[in-house]
């Protein structure tokens, strides 16, 4: 707390003395926005705990559970989530994102599937999502037995109810799902509260999305991403949270100080750029919590809603707790006792810092020309790095990043003014990866767009006589 206060003071001093953005950028901490510091600090462990207890009280939130009860099952749960988010602020537009899903795969009968969506409109239509899935599942033996057996779960005497033999019957067995994914849901709901009550006028539109149908194959996320692609809704980033509330690994190792962040490749894809952004800005606002980017889409043979967005060309990443306890997943033992509220709150703070920074920053500049080629050359000497980019609306400056063309993390950065071209003399473009981010007049930075050549299609060579 002392540190944040000192940094806030530093910004005020520098602004008073009219110090340039370039000088402020010398010290990364000077880029902190006191309004974001305050927003991050307003996340409440107590509220997260109360949301989790309420979610647990529905006993099951299976997408296939019955919807007639007002106190038990998915229908009661989604209505409570809707009403809760509606109570936060008249600025929040809360609605069901509803679909009639035909039987397919693990959807055994026609289902009225509803994501619960809260939109906080910004000045521009570009959207930043924070998400979790509120649906649950519990199977005999759960994820622990599935892992231990190498994939074939044995029958488990701890499972209180077996799934119904009749595919048309509701799947009403106990499935508390407090960590999977009550944790991501509570985080999303709490961020809807702090963002809508912050009084900050964001540039981007923020969407707080509680998905359904994740456990049947990312169904709710896929339906929403499909709709967004068809309607050309400009989703710029998705921060998905799934299993982010437990710091005690089933192996006995405890880690409450780090969070894993999975992202779709290849190495300079927008998804990887978003992961680096979260590491950079989450780390600045929440230095006591370490983001561990993972250069892979997800854990082995596990999935999550961020992949549904990535597969349709949107930029999405997935947060996962660092040490999982598999015996408490997809299992009747996924209860409130398995949660660490301080850990969940730290993960919520990292999400909040990243989403707020991104929503206040300009959109990232494009580094591609109209033929989709990166605007990077060796001119004028033939041995220089000559970078061009397209001006981003609202940008007051740009920051150039580069690193040797081996390794994931940026090594160098340089703040430049409100220009769209930079020449680094005698820097060989073949040896480095370059990228550029847009920055507004208050230092809010976008994620980095990198100069990478799109893969070329191979054309078969014709041979005479064949
Ligand atoms: Zn999950």
């Amino acid at each position: 707390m002392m540190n944040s206060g000192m940094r806030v003071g530093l910004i005020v001093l520098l602004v008073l003395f009219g110090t340039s953005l370039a000088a402020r950028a010398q010290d990364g901490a000077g880029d902190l926005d006191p309004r974001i510091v305050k927003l991050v600090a307003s996340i409440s462990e107590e509220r997260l705990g109360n949301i989790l207890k309420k979610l647990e009280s529905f006993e099951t939130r299976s997408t296939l559970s019955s919807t007639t009860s007002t106190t038990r099952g998915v229908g009661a749960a989604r209505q409570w989530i809707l009403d809760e988010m509606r109570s936060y602020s008249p600025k929040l537009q809360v609605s069901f994102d509803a679909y009639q899903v035909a039987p397919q795969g693990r959807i055994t009968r026609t289902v009225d599937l509803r994501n619960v969506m809260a939109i906080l409109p910004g000045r521009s239509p570009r959207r930043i999502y924070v998400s979790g899935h509120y649906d649950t599942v519990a199977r005999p033996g759960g994820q622990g037995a599935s892992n231990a057996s190498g994939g074939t779960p044995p029958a488990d005497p701890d499972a209180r109810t077996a799934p119904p033999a009749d595919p048309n019957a509701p799947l009403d067995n106990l499935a508390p799902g407090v960590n999977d994914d009550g944790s991501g849901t509570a985080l999303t709901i709490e961020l809807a509260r702090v963002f809508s009550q912050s009084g900050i006028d964001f540039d981007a539109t923020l969407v707080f999305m509680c998905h359904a149908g994740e456990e049947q194959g990312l169904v709710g996320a896929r339906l929403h991403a499909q709709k967004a692609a068809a309607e050309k809704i400009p989703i710029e980033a998705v921060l998905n949270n799934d299993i982010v509330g437990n710091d005690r690994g089933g192996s006995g190792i405890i880690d409450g100080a780090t969070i894993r962040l999975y992202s779709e490749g290849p190495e300079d894809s927008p998804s990887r750029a978003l992961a680096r952004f979260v590491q950079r800005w989450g780390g600045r606002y929440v230095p006591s919590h370490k983001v561990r980017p993972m250069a892979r889409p997800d854990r082995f043979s596990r999935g999550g809603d961020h992949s549904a967005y990535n597969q349709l060309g949107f930029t999405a990443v997935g947060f996962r707790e660092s040490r999982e306890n598999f015996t408490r997943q997809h299992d009747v033992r996924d209860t409130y006792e398995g949660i660490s509220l301080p850990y969940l709150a730290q993960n919520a703070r990292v999400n909040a810092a990243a989403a707020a920074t991104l929503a206040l920053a300009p959109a990232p500049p494009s580094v591609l020309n109209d033929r989709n080629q990166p605007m990077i050359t060796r001119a004028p000497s033939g041995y220089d790095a000559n970078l061009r980019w397209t001006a981003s609306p609202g940008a007051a400056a740009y920051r150039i990043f580069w690193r040797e063309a081996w390794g994931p993390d940026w090594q160098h950065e340089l703040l430049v003014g409100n220009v769209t071209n930079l020449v680094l003399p005698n820097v060989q473009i073949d040896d480095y990866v370059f990228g550029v981010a847009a920055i507004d007049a208050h230092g809010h930075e976008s994620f980095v767009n990198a100069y990478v050549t799109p893969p070329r299609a191979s054309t078969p060579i014709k041979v005479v006589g064949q």
Side-chain angles (χ1 to χ4, degrees):
M1 283 300 108
M2 197 61 172
N3 267 348
S4 315
M6 284 162 63
R7 285 190 197 116
V8 173
L10 184 63
I11 292 175
V12 173
L13 269 179
L14 290 168
V15 170
L16 281 177
F17 288 101
T19 311
S20 73
L21 188 61
R24 264 198 283 161
Q26 304 284 312
D27 173 11
D31 286 345
L32 296 194
D33 180 336
R35 295 172 303 166
I36 299 179
V37 171
K38 192 176 161 204
L39 180 146
V40 168
S42 64
I43 288 162
S44 160
E45 277 181 30
E46 189 189 347
R47 280 182 175 271
L48 287 166
N50 289 341
I51 295 167
L52 289 175
K53 282 183 205 153
K54 187 67 193 182
L55 292 174
E56 184 177 35
S57 76
F58 298 109
E59 297 184 5
T60 173
R61 304 187 303 279
S62 165
T63 305
L64 300 168
S65 62
S66 43
T67 54
T68 46
S69 167
T70 55
T71 56
R72 189 181 195 279
V74 69
R78 65 197 181 195
Q79 188 61 47
W80 179 80
I81 294 169
L82 182 97
D83 294 341
E84 177 68 13
M85 292 201 287
R86 273 195 180 153
S87 75
Y88 292 153
S89 166
K91 288 183 189 165
L92 268 186
Q93 300 168 356
V94 189
S95 65
F96 288 130
D97 175 47
Y99 306 87
Q100 290 294 313
V101 186
Q104 57 201 297
R106 287 184 229 164
I107 301 278
T108 50
R109 59 186 159 83
T110 300
V111 160
D112 170 28
L113 182 148
R114 301 185 190 185
N115 301 318
V116 192
M117 182 166 73
I119 298 177
L120 181 64
R123 290 191 302 272
S124 77
R126 66 190 185 93
R127 286 187 179 190
I128 316 287
Y129 280 56
V130 176
S131 71
H133 71 86
Y134 72 90
D135 67 302
T136 62
V137 72
R139 290 189 284 266
Q143 192 62 36
S146 174
N147 280 13
S149 70
T152 328
D156 184 353
D158 287 346
R160 295 183 205 172
T161 322
D166 173 7
N168 289 312
L171 195 68
D172 276 337
N173 61 299
L174 184 68
V178 177
N179 195 22
D180 183 10
D181 182 29
S183 60
T185 303
L187 183 156
T188 301
I189 294 172
E190 175 63 355
L191 263 55
R193 183 184 72 83
V194 299
F195 276 73
S196 65
Q197 295 177 357
S198 69
I200 303 175
D201 182 21
F202 291 99
D203 182 68
T205 293
L206 284 139
V207 180
F208 304 93
M209 177 64 105
C210 302
H211 292 113
E214 195 273 352
E215 302 290 5
Q216 279 74 35
L218 323 180
V219 179
R222 287 163 72 188
L223 285 164
H224 184 76
Q226 255 170 247
K227 183 158 79 175
E231 294 176 7
K232 297 195 167 31
I233 294 171
I235 301 178
E236 188 177 292
V238 179
L239 304 177
N240 183 52
N241 292 270
D242 195 352
I243 311 186
V244 291
N246 156 63
D247 62 356
R248 286 160 195 268
S251 67
I253 299 174
I254 298 174
D255 179 0
T258 77
I259 178 78
R260 293 177 296 173
L261 184 56
Y262 286 88
S263 65
E264 189 84 26
E267 61 188 354
D268 278 291
S269 67
S271 176
R272 293 280 158 82
L274 179 59
R276 289 188 193 99
F277 177 90
V278 172
Q279 184 188 32
R280 177 177 170 88
W281 289 99
R284 286 184 174 182
Y285 281 97
V286 196
S288 55
H289 208 53
K290 187 180 173 199
V291 176
R292 299 167 58 205
M294 298 284 145
R296 43 180 53 160
D298 209 325
R299 304 150 303 165
F300 280 102
S301 67
R302 306 289 304 271
D305 285 332
H306 58 290
S307 297
Y309 290 89
N310 281 325
Q311 279 158 10
L312 287 174
F314 297 112
T315 301
V317 291
F319 287 91
R320 312 293 199 172
E321 65 197 20
S322 278
R323 295 288 175 177
E324 293 178 78
N325 183 342
F326 298 117
T327 63
R328 283 184 177 272
Q329 293 176 12
H330 301 164
D331 193 286
V332 293
R333 289 164 289 196
D334 186 358
T335 56
Y336 186 76
E337 287 67 43
I339 294 288
S340 160
L341 288 181
Y343 181 64
L344 175 58
Q346 284 287 74
N347 294 331
R349 291 179 190 115
V350 167
N351 271 265
T357 304
L358 209 49
L360 283 164
S366 171
V367 298
L368 300 176
N369 64 15
D370 47 19
R371 287 172 292 114
N372 258 351
Q373 295 298 313
M375 297 187 284
I376 182 167
T377 72
R378 302 177 183 84
S381 77
Y383 301 91
D384 304 321
N386 189 324
L387 315 176
R388 283 192 181 280
W389 56 93
T390 307
S392 188
Y398 296 88
R399 188 171 277 126
I400 311 300
F401 295 81
W402 67 101
R403 65 174 196 264
E404 293 234 19
W406 183 259
D409 296 323
W410 298 116
Q411 295 169 315
H412 311 281
E413 55 181 81
L414 178 69
L415 189 74
V416 297
N418 197 357
V419 296
T420 55
N421 180 220
L422 176 75
V423 178
L424 294 165
N426 238 344
V427 177
Q428 299 204 87
I429 62 172
D430 312 292
D431 300 4
Y432 297 92
V433 181
F434 295 90
V436 57
I439 302 169
D440 76 357
H442 307 285
H444 303 116
E445 185 179 288
S446 74
F447 65 80
V448 180
N449 263 339
Y451 293 81
V452 283
T453 310
R456 246 175 242 171
S458 172
T459 322
I461 304 294
K462 289 175 191 141
V463 179
V464 174
Q466 290 190 0

